[in-house]
Amino acid sequence: MTTVDVPHSSRSAVLRVSAVIQETADSCSLVFDVPAELRERFTYQPGQFLTLRIPSDLTGSVARCYSLASSPHTDDAPKVTVKRTADGYASNWVCDNVKAGDTLEVLPPSGVFTPKNLDEDLLLFAAGSGITPVMSILKSALARGNSRVVLVYANRDHDNVIFADELRELADKNPQRLVVVHWLEQLQGLPTADALATLTRPYTEFSAFMCGPKPFMDRVHDALAQLGVPRNRTHAEVFNSLSGDPFADVARAEISAEEAADAASVEVELDGETHEMNWPRSQTLVDIMLAKGLDVPYSCLEGECGSCACTVLEGTVEMENAEILDPEDIANGYILGCQARPVTDHLKIQF
């Protein structure tokens, strides 16, 4: 029995696992029971993820991000899906140990891998457990939008297809709106950029969303580039293992008078409201927003999850770690709030 009674930070919560669903031989889904007093905090958008605190005998705990496979528009409770990875401590621990009735410590939903408009036509790519956030988007679009949806889903073989029955049912119920293309490595080999481009050539006007191992997503990027799909209509979800502890409360750094005098100024648009703040050059954007009591989106604070991604409208920042962003993202003004420090004296930033 895995039991957590008290959360380790003011941001996290303890949730009961109401069900564990065996999806394939090496993947399972956890369904969480969210009590009424936490439902507002755990409201989520299609494609977002939860961060789970996994106990460890060596380090006390590790933090891992798992995408929500459920849809806020069709499912009563949030559900994450976990697939075992070779030598993956957390994924194997979850699949081996978590049972219905257990409790886990969880951070509220986060992430920006979500369509701004469920009425836009969607071209979805997934490989392996990358289907998880893509499934959330797919179900949401079918339930609340009127768009067409095309899914290209790659796996080693039929036995590794997560949500196979659910995808078949959705395709049967929505024959005019949903096309599901399965790519099985056992039969077809690894998908190439040329093959993916050929498959998806009729859908170049759609907005593309992709999730899966990096080699797969590299080939998808190449395929879309061949087809001339603009970068602003291409969205990728990338997860890295978190080395820090996002469950720890963030300590507020003291600012010297000299540093305060040299601070930049910033206008931040968050949830439709604009906030004007001083921005000391040694602090990150997330630091100063937390100090002001703003509900800034963040999770890992390491530049590894993308939860705090935002756009610089005016000014320049420097970032210590921005590897999760593509060069095209940075060229288009995207930054990570947890890594950004001001260079210019005045900035405008939009979440």
Side-chain angles (χ1 to χ4, degrees):
M1 188 78 170
T2 302
T3 303
V4 179
D5 298 318
V6 181
H8 286 73
S9 79
S10 58
R11 297 179 59 232
S12 59
V14 174
L15 299 182
R16 187 180 72 89
V17 178
S18 60
V20 178
I21 304 167
Q22 194 68 41
E23 303 288 359
T24 65
D26 60 358
S27 65
C28 68
S29 293
L30 310 182
V31 182
F32 289 102
D33 178 23
V34 180
E37 65 270 19
L38 292 176
R39 282 176 191 160
E40 185 174 348
R41 285 180 63 197
F42 279 83
T43 298
Y44 64 98
Q45 299 299 316
Q48 290 193 306
F49 62 85
L50 298 179
T51 305
L52 275 55
R53 189 173 189 268
I54 308 298
S56 166
D57 292 336
L58 294 177
T59 62
S61 69
V62 295
R64 293 293 183 268
C65 303
Y66 294 114
S67 292
L68 287 148
S70 53
S71 163
H73 305 299
T74 63
D75 296 288
D76 294 331
K79 176 181 75 175
V80 300
T81 302
V82 181
K83 183 176 181 179
R84 294 180 190 271
T85 57
D87 301 321
Y89 169 78
S91 62
N92 283 286
W93 185 91
V94 168
C95 291
D96 289 337
N97 292 282
V98 180
K99 304 291 186 293
D102 289 352
T103 56
L104 291 172
E105 188 173 357
V106 184
L107 288 174
S110 195
V112 294
F113 183 69
T114 183
K116 290 181 172 58
N117 179 7
L118 291 176
D119 286 324
E120 64 181 344
D121 292 331
L122 299 174
L123 176 57
L124 308 176
F125 296 89
S129 59
I131 188 63
T132 311
V134 167
M135 191 68 171
S136 178
I137 293 170
L138 183 154
K139 292 196 294 184
S140 299
L142 292 176
R144 288 299 174 94
N146 55 23
S147 58
R148 291 178 294 165
V149 182
V150 175
L151 168 65
V152 178
Y153 185 18
N155 282 283
R156 288 196 304 270
D157 53 42
H158 179 74
D159 291 340
N160 280 279
V161 179
I162 304 173
F163 310 132
D165 292 340
E166 189 174 5
L167 285 169
R168 189 179 306 111
E169 291 172 7
L170 287 169
D172 289 344
K173 289 178 182 177
N174 301 275
Q176 303 303 316
R177 294 183 58 203
L178 176 62
V179 174
V180 179
V181 179
H182 289 284
W183 185 289
L184 301 180
E185 180 184 340
Q186 186 183 58
L187 301 177
Q188 298 158 278
L190 290 170
T192 64
D194 288 344
L196 292 171
T198 299
L199 272 177
T200 56
R201 192 174 301 279
Y203 313 110
T204 55
E205 299 303 314
F206 290 24
S207 288
F209 288 79
M210 69 187 80
C211 186
K214 186 177 185 303
F216 172 77
M217 293 208 290
D218 287 345
R219 289 190 287 272
V220 174
H221 274 301
D222 290 345
L224 296 177
Q226 284 185 34
L227 297 174
V229 177
R231 186 65 183 81
N232 63 5
R233 283 200 280 111
T234 302
H235 312 274
E237 180 67 303
V238 180
F239 287 123
N240 294 317
S241 293
L242 307 182
S243 56
D245 183 8
F247 289 87
D249 282 320
V250 179
R252 304 287 184 256
E254 294 294 329
I255 301 300
S256 67
E258 181 181 357
E259 199 171 12
D262 185 46
S265 64
V266 61
E267 296 177 31
V268 178
E269 183 181 332
L270 175 68
D271 297 330
E273 296 184 5
T274 299
H275 307 270
E276 296 186 8
M277 292 169 283
N278 290 329
W279 189 354
R281 298 179 193 272
S282 67
Q283 294 203 317
T284 69
L285 182 60
V286 168
D287 288 338
I288 65 164
M289 293 180 71
L290 289 175
K292 288 289 185 181
L294 298 177
D295 189 20
V296 54
Y298 77 95
S299 184
C300 73
L301 292 178
E302 300 169 14
E304 294 179 346
C305 72
S307 300
C308 60
C310 50
T311 305
V312 176
L313 303 179
E314 289 183 17
T316 306
V317 304
E318 59 184 5
M319 291 183 286
E320 186 173 336
N321 175 20
E323 291 183 6
I324 196 171
L325 297 177
D326 292 335
E328 295 92 340
D329 291 329
I330 296 173
N332 288 329
Y334 288 105
I335 64 169
L336 301 175
C338 75
Q339 299 294 302
R341 292 178 171 84
V343 173
T344 51
D345 292 334
H346 181 72
L347 302 97
K348 287 186 179 181
I349 292 175
Q350 182 181 60
F351 279 87

